């Protein structure tokens, strides 16, 4: 719909094919639910609302679409804090339209006010939602922005070698999936044709913002590339509709790459080690048992069905908010010490102050199982059967079980 609003029916068809292939591609990690995937529809719908608001001849309809775009912009940011794509697109398109005199100053102000009003109404709805779901707007904001800034500094200070490896992988997957190819075609068209349409420049600005957002994040997970799918598909759809052979061949390549990636994925083990270990602990645990997984891997806790007495279920909050592990020390020493402690790699890993943790675990726990290279500790004085596997680490069921 968004591409059709810009370039016609054919643009919409090519954009839909491209977006569908990228959205299911295992190369972008989009086969699992994540914030990027949930925010993407808000982005593309918001882009379309901006386009319609600028081109509509009916003032009421234009203002309604502008307000909807503002609400969608806030929605995307509420799901994924760096998804400001709709805001970037809207500002550049609106300013560009005013500069080109496609809209009057009065229309410009009206659309800007409508967009801002829609965002404010969505923000108020979000505030009400947070209050009715046991948290607070301040807590949500702190988790969304101040914490992420602090965490980014922590990662930068620690060297973060895993992130450097993920950056390499991200670039490889961007190349193999066709994302780099699509971006190159869009930029080449910009250089050769120097389009002057305000909406097209807004689309390019959104793509540049998306690339910067992916790179500035610092963690370089490949599913960050999902942020580029919406605006990239719209842009390539418009070019393909203009009978550009390169654009159409690029879309074909993206589809083939996604299909081949799925063929490879189906031929490889698809299980998850965390799920396997969590299931093993669940079968040996008793009601009321608790668990702590060091460091992170909250899926183990979730699959086990056990509560964690330690509040930080993810390694980054642990390193950012409890770097000296004083909170975990208190939990392991206290009356609410977890029944199970799982050392994902080694307790002394990830640059944390773990000397005391190792001592406490040695004093209060005993190792009862080694599953998939991970050690499972049981609290002294507690009698439970040792967790065992009924599947391989990657989920293939064992014949004996």
């Amino acid at each position: 719909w968004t591409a059709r609003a810009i370039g016609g029916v054919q643009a919409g068809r090519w954009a839909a094919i491209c977006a569908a292939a990228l959205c299911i591609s295992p190369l972008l990690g989009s086969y699992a639910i994540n914030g990027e995937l949930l925010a993407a529809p808000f982005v593309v719908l918001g882009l379309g609302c901006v386009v319609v608001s600028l081109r509509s001849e009916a003032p009421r309809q234009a203002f309604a679409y502008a307000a909807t775009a503002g609400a969608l912009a806030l929605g995307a940011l509420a799901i994924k804090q760096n998804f400001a794509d709709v805001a970037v697109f809207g500002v550049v398109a609106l300013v560009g339209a005013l500069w080109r005199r496609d809209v009057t100053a009065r229309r410009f102000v009206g659309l800007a006010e409508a967009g801002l009003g829609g965002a404010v109404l969505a923000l108020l709805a979000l505030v009400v939602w947070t209050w009715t779901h046991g948290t607070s707007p301040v807590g949500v904001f702190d988790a969304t922005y101040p914490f992420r800034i602090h965490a980014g500094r922590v990662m930068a200070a620690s060297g973060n070698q895993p992130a450097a490896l993920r950056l390499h992988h991200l670039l490889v997957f961007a190349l193999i999936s066709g994302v780099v190819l699509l971006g190159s075609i869009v930029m080449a068209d910009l250089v050769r044709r120097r389009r002057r349409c305000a909406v097209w420049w807004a689309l390019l600005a959104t793509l540049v913002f998306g690339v910067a957002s992916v790179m500035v994040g610092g963690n370089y997970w490949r599913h960050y590339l999902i942020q580029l799918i919406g605006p990239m598909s719209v842009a390539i759809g418009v070019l393909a509709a203009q009978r550009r052979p390169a654009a159409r061949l690029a879309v074909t390549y993206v589809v083939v790459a996604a299909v081949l990636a799925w063929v490879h994925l189906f031929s490889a083990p698809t299980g998850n080690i965390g799920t396997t270990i969590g299931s093993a602990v669940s079968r040996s645990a008793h009601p009321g048992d608790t668990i702590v997984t060091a460091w992170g891997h909250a899926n183990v806790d979730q699959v086990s069905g056990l509560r964690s007495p330690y509040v930080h279920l993810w390694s980054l909050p642990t390193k950012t908010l409890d770097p000296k592990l004083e909170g975990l020390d208190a939990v392991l020493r206290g009356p609410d010490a977890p029944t199970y402690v799982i050392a994902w790699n080694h307790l002394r890993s990830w640059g944390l102050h773990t000397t005391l943790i190792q001592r406490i675990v040695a004093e209060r726990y005993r190792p009862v199982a080694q599953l998939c290279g991970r050690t499972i500790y049981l609290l002294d004085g507690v009698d439970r059967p040792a967790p065992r596997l009924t599947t391989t680490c990657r989920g293939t069921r064992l014949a004996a079980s």
Side-chain angles (χ1 to χ4, degrees):
W1 175 71
T2 300
R4 191 171 62 219
I6 298 174
V9 175
Q10 287 297 320
R13 290 172 180 170
W14 281 101
I17 293 171
C18 184
L22 290 174
C23 277
I24 65 158
S25 177
L27 297 168
L28 303 187
S30 50
Y31 52 82
I33 293 296
N34 50 58
E36 289 81 5
L37 203 59
L38 295 175
F42 287 79
V43 170
V44 288
L45 187 57
L47 301 187
C49 287
V50 171
V51 174
V52 174
S53 71
L54 286 172
R55 297 184 174 179
S56 175
E57 296 181 358
R60 286 189 177 181
Q61 183 187 54
F63 295 150
Y65 273 102
T68 303
L72 291 166
L74 193 282
L77 283 169
I79 296 172
K80 189 66 180 175
Q81 67 268 43
N82 60 313
F83 268 50
D85 304 61
V86 179
V88 171
F89 182 85
V91 169
V92 175
L94 198 56
V95 172
L98 179 65
W99 180 70
R100 286 172 42 87
R101 297 182 181 178
D102 294 335
V103 297
T104 63
R106 183 177 180 181
R107 181 75 172 265
F108 173 88
V109 173
L111 292 175
E113 289 178 344
L116 184 60
V120 170
L121 288 176
L123 179 60
L124 291 176
L126 178 63
V127 168
V128 172
W129 187 91
T130 59
W131 274 328
T132 57
H133 285 76
T135 182
S136 70
V138 174
V140 171
F141 177 78
D142 182 70
T144 305
Y145 291 103
F147 165 75
R148 293 298 311 188
I149 294 172
H150 185 190
R153 292 171 180 166
V154 169
M155 288 189 294
S158 63
N160 205 0
Q161 292 181 351
L165 180 61
R166 286 196 297 270
L167 173 60
H168 173 75
H169 290 164
L170 181 143
L171 296 175
V172 170
F173 284 118
L175 183 64
I176 298 175
S177 66
V179 169
V180 172
L181 176 62
L182 297 175
S184 300
I185 291 172
V186 173
M187 298 312 295
D189 179 83
L190 169 66
V191 172
R192 287 200 300 261
R193 298 185 176 269
R194 302 190 65 183
R195 297 175 181 274
R196 299 296 183 184
C197 173
V199 167
W200 186 258
W201 282 108
L203 198 57
L204 295 176
T206 306
L207 278 172
V208 171
F209 168 78
V211 172
S213 180
V214 169
M215 300 308 294
V216 170
N219 268 323
Y220 308 119
W221 298 107
R222 56 177 163 156
H223 60 257
Y224 286 2
L225 294 169
I226 293 173
Q227 184 170 5
L228 305 176
I229 292 178
M232 185 82 76
S233 299
V234 171
I236 209 71
V238 171
L239 295 180
Q242 296 171 353
R243 299 185 182 279
R244 305 289 170 77
R248 295 187 174 191
L249 286 174
V251 174
T252 303
Y253 172 83
V254 167
V255 173
V256 172
V259 171
L260 292 179
W262 271 109
V263 171
H264 172 73
L265 192 66
F266 282 137
S267 66
T270 57
N272 181 280
I273 293 177
T275 299
T276 300
I277 294 177
S279 298
V281 172
S282 175
R283 288 190 295 271
S284 69
H286 289 188
D289 286 353
T290 54
I291 187 173
V292 166
T293 306
W295 309 99
H297 297 279
N299 58 331
V300 176
D301 299 17
Q302 182 186 35
V303 173
S304 73
L306 307 183
R307 182 182 64 85
S308 172
Y310 183 54
V311 296
H312 301 308
L313 305 182
W314 179 31
S315 54
L316 187 56
T318 298
K319 192 165 188 177
T320 304
L321 303 176
D322 191 21
K324 296 183 179 180
L325 298 178
E326 295 171 343
L328 184 55
D329 290 348
V331 169
L332 294 178
R333 285 174 154 176
D336 293 328
T339 312
Y340 295 93
V341 171
I342 298 179
W344 194 253
N345 291 314
H346 301 285
L347 290 174
R348 60 180 181 275
S349 62
W350 230 61
L352 292 161
H353 298 79
T354 59
T355 302
L356 184 56
I357 292 294
Q358 295 177 70
R359 189 185 311 153
I360 296 173
V361 170
E363 292 173 353
R364 300 199 65 184
Y365 289 83
R366 65 187 187 278
V368 292
Q370 187 86 10
L371 303 181
C372 306
R374 278 67 182 178
T375 305
I376 300 178
Y377 295 90
L378 185 66
L379 185 66
D380 285 342
V382 175
D383 185 23
R384 299 285 185 272
R388 67 182 187 88
L389 299 180
T390 58
T391 66
T392 64
C393 294
R394 288 296 181 180
T396 304
R397 191 163 185 82
L398 298 174
S401 62

